[in-house]
Structures are given as C-alpha cells and as structure tokens.
C-alpha cells in the first residue's frame, strides 16, 4: 500500500526531497519488520540457507580395476551404497597400474565418488619409508593416508572396507552404533607387541613395546588425528608396515586411542583360510581351520567375514580347482 501511495505522490509531483527520504526509510523498516515476523511465526522457515548437511562419516571401499569387471564386486559396491544413509559419503578407491588407461564399463561412475590410484606415488615420503609402510601389495593404505591428510575430506571419521569383506547385518546400523565412540582406531581385533611378523622390522615398535600393537585394515574406522600422526611419523622417517606402525604411533600419542568392535567377528583373518591361502579357489562354506579337515560353514547374522573373494566363484579356474579338491576329499 505504501508503495502505491509513494508512486501516486510522485506522479502528482506533490513531494519534496525530505518527504521522499522519510517514506523510503519507512518502507525499508516495514520490509525488515515483515521479514522478521515471517521467520518468527514459521519455525521451519529458518535462516539457514545451506543445502545438505556435511556428512560426518566417509566410507572408503578399496578395490582394483580387475575386480570391478566381476559382477559380484559391482553388486557388493551397490549393496554398500544402498545400505548407507545420506549422512555418509561413499568413496571407491580403484587401484590401477596406470589410471589414465582405466576403462570401467560395469560401474556407473556418476553414482559414486571414484578415485583412481597409481602404484607409483610415494611423495612426500622417502622411498624406503613408503615401501616398508606399503608392504608387498597394500600401497592403497598409503594412498588413503595421503588422501585424508592432503585432501582434507570434511567427514569426521573414515571407515575403510576392502572388497573381500562381507558383513551379514545392517552395515549402516553397525556404523551408527559407533557414531559417538571416541576411539581414533576402531577394529574388530588387534594384537599387542610380540617378536613376530611385522613387529621385527619396526624399530619404533620395538622401542615402544608397551604402546605398540598390530591391526588389520580390512575393516576399520579411523579418525583424522591418527592419519595426521602417522603422516608426520613417516615424514620423520619412522619405518614400519602399515598394520603395526599406524596403531603403534597412535598408542604412543597421549591423545590417540585404540578400541575393538566387540562381538562382530565371524571369521576374520589377514589372508586365505588354511588350504585356500593361495587364493586359487574356495566357496564361502569351505574353511580349513588350523590345517584340519574342512567342515561345512554356516553364515551367522550380524557377523564380519574376511577374506571372501567372491570373484573366484566367477572364474573357470576356481570352479575346476574346487571340484578337484572335492574329489580328493572323497
């Protein structure tokens, strides 16, 4: 109404400059008052104009270019993606000898955050430090470390899953169960220092045995703090395999903590089970514990299994070897 009044007065020419300025001030005041009333009456009409809430959780699945050609891996990635709520961001780290030559035909790249990794990046670490941390074939762990520290994703915690992990329950519910857990490292299990395996080659671990430990990265949750501590340790020249150095550096740091996810292990080891360590064959139900005779295996709900190399079921060689083993057992 005031706008129309002002327009009419201006058209009639019956207004001086001072009156005009007063009317403009009144209009501005009434506009601000109207804006305030609207957002006070309507609770949902808040002044937060940001879009989606920044996810607190990043879920990183590591795989390879070759594995993405197998339907079971693609289906597993889709299953994980569908299970996660919108408060979590999912990333897929794809290991490739030459990322520029990668041709992915079975995965919808627009649906996922695909990050291609090449097996030749060690900077800013020295060659011997990087190679010992990576081990024989786990250079993706170094890339994950560099990505978190250098790219600084906005999420609070990073969950890491290898593509041969199987969890028989609700993955999103499992992650939510530990949403407020304060530990910087959460793993299904870990071992304290002992004179075996990777501990022997880790001088820092041997010098700080009381706080040293060994974890499996296959399924784990990390804070940004533990990655920053490890990154600085590698720059300092500390040498050790990723399974011992990261958790040992954390154990030594006064503000870094390590904890376990109790009660979720079904069958969880670093490599193949017994007879199937070579990885040439196995069906989900075939386990050889401690070298004993194979026995039938039953899935248990809400349990974690590793390694479950589902792609071996989709190759002719795996099937042939399985039948040969079955005939030998008769």
């Amino acid at each position: 109404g005031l706008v129309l009044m002002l327009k009419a007065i201006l058209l009639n020419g019956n207004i001086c400059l001072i009156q005009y300025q007063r009317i403009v001030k009144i209009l501005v005041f009434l506009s601000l008052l109207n804006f305030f009333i609207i957002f006070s009456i309507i609770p949902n009409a808040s002044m937060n104009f940001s879009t989606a809430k920044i996810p607190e959780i990043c879920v990183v699945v590591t795989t390879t270019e070759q594995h993405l050609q197998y339907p079971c891996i693609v289906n597993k990635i889709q299953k994980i993606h569908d299970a996660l709520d919108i408060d979590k961001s999912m990333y897929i780290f794809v290991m490739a000898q030459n990322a520029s030559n990668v041709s992915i035909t079975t995965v919808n790249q627009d649906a996922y955050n695909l990050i291609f990794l090449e097996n030749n990046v060690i900077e800013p670490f020295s060659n011997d430090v990087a190679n010992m941390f990576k081990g024989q074939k786990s250079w993706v762990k170094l890339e994950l470390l560099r990505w978190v520290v250098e790219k600084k994703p906005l999420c609070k915690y990073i969950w890491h899953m290898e593509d041969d992990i199987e969890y028989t329950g609700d993955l999103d519910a499992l992650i939510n169960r530990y949403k407020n857990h304060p530990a910087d490292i959460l793993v299904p299990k870990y071992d304290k220092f002992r004179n075996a395996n990777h501990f022997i080659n880790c001088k820092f671990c041997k010098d700080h045995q009381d706080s040293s430990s060994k974890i499996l990265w296959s399924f784990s949750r990390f804070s940004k703090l533990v990655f920053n501590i490890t990154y600085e340790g590698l720059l300092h020249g500390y040498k050790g395999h990723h399974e011992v150095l990261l958790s040992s550096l954390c154990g030594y740091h006064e503000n870094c903590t390590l904890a376990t996810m109790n009660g979720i292990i079904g069958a969880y080891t670093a490599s193949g089970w017994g007879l199937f360590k070579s990885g040439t064959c196995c069906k989900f139900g075939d386990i050889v514990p401690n070298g004993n005779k194979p026995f039938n295996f039953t899935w248990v709900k809400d349990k974690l299994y590793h390694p479950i190399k589902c792609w071996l079921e989709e190759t002719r060689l795996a099937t042939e070897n399985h039948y040969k083993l079955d005939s030998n057992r008769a």
Side-chain angles (χ1 to χ4, degrees), residues 125-166:
F125 313 114
S126 65
N127 188 67
D128 54 343
V129 167
N131 286 334
M132 184 170 289
F133 187 82
K134 292 187 296 183
Q136 294 182 346
K137 56 182 180 179
S138 296
W139 51 273
V140 67
K141 311 302 193 305
L142 182 65
E143 291 287 356
L144 177 59
L145 176 76
R146 292 177 64 245
W147 178 73
V148 172
V149 176
E150 297 173 6
K151 300 300 183 182
K152 296 179 173 56
L154 297 176
C155 45
K156 183 178 180 181
Y157 291 107
I158 297 91
W159 285 78
H160 171 247
M161 298 177 59
E162 294 179 351
D163 66 3
D164 54 358
I165 281 287
E166 285 286 346

Side-chain angles (χ1 to χ4, degrees), residues 47 82 224:
M47 295 184 65
D82 293 344
K224 290 183 177 179

Side-chain angles (χ1 to χ4, degrees), residues 162-265:
E162 294 179 351
D163 66 3
D164 54 358
I165 281 287
E166 285 286 346
Y167 180 66
T168 56
D170 185 333
L171 178 62
D172 193 74
L174 175 65
I175 293 176
N176 288 336
R177 186 192 311 171
Y178 294 98
K179 183 176 182 179
N180 297 317
H181 198 291
D184 295 282
I185 302 177
L186 264 176
V187 288
K189 64 178 182 179
Y190 67 91
D191 298 319
K192 298 298 290 182
F193 179 89
R194 64 181 189 274
N195 289 318
N197 298 332
H198 301 305
F199 285 114
I200 298 175
N201 298 318
C202 178
K203 185 179 184 302
F204 180 91
C205 304
K206 291 188 290 186
D207 291 343
H208 305 90
Q209 297 184 20
D210 292 341
S211 57
S212 293
S213 59
K214 176 180 181 292
I215 65 171
L216 292 181
W217 281 49
S218 307
F219 184 81
S220 46
R221 191 200 76 173
F222 302 105
S223 70
K224 290 183 177 179
L225 173 64
V226 69
F227 281 129
N228 283 314
I229 292 172
T230 306
Y231 191 94
E232 292 298 323
L234 294 177
L235 287 178
H236 190 270
Y238 292 135
K239 300 178 184 178
H241 191 274
H242 59 271
E243 290 185 346
V244 297
L245 185 59
L246 176 135
S247 55
S248 297
L249 287 170
C250 176
Y252 182 74
H253 194 280
E254 61 180 358
N255 295 321
C256 194
T257 56
L258 169 65
T260 57
M261 306 175 218
N262 296 324
I264 71 166
I265 294 179

